[in-house]
Amino acid sequence: MRENDTTGMKIFFHRFLDAIAGIFIRDIAKGSVSARDGRLAIGDQIIEVNDQSLNGFSNVQALYLLQNTSSSVRLKVRRYTDGAKYEKIKEMIGNF
């Protein structure tokens, strides 16, 4: 997990053999850039960073990419709102 002081996000990596793998937003600090912007949500899966797909990236590679972004970061996220994957993500995060 990494907390980014600039964005105010906490992320975590998870790999499921049968459901879903990826990098997910675990928390968004109140008053942070991400909270003020309002577009990101707890449970969102980060799938691209600055137009670079994270598909096939190891946890180390994805973390390196996130840590070495400029002051302006463009994220593409996937949001599950129901179904088995949504329930699994809620369980991972602690029922957000």
Side-chain angles (χ1 to χ4, degrees):
M1 186 181 340
R2 171 180 180 249
E3 182 171 359
N4 183 319
D5 294 333
T6 305
T7 61
M9 289 188 305
K10 290 183 182 178
I11 60 172
F12 70 97
F13 300 90
H14 207 281
R15 297 224 181 269
F16 293 108
L17 297 176
D18 60 343
I20 192 169
I23 300 169
F24 298 86
I25 297 174
R26 180 176 182 168
D27 189 34
I28 299 173
K30 291 180 182 178
S32 67
V33 171
S34 297
R36 288 191 310 268
D37 179 74
R39 289 181 283 176
L40 295 175
I42 294 170
D44 283 354
Q45 180 182 12
I46 302 172
I47 58 174
E48 287 185 9
V49 177
N50 292 336
D51 298 319
Q52 172 69 53
S53 171
L54 298 182
N55 188 32
F57 272 42
S58 70
N59 292 354
V60 172
Q61 291 169 316
L63 185 58
Y64 179 82
L65 182 62
L66 286 163
Q67 288 176 329
N68 291 286
T69 58
S70 65
S71 61
S72 177
V73 179
R74 181 180 168 138
L75 299 177
K76 184 174 184 180
V77 299
R78 176 178 294 131
R79 184 171 297 156
Y80 295 95
T81 57
D82 58 23
K85 291 180 181 179
Y86 172 76
E87 293 301 322
K88 191 66 173 175
I89 293 166
K90 272 181 36 176
E91 180 183 316
M92 289 184 320
I93 295 174
N95 296 314
F96 58 93

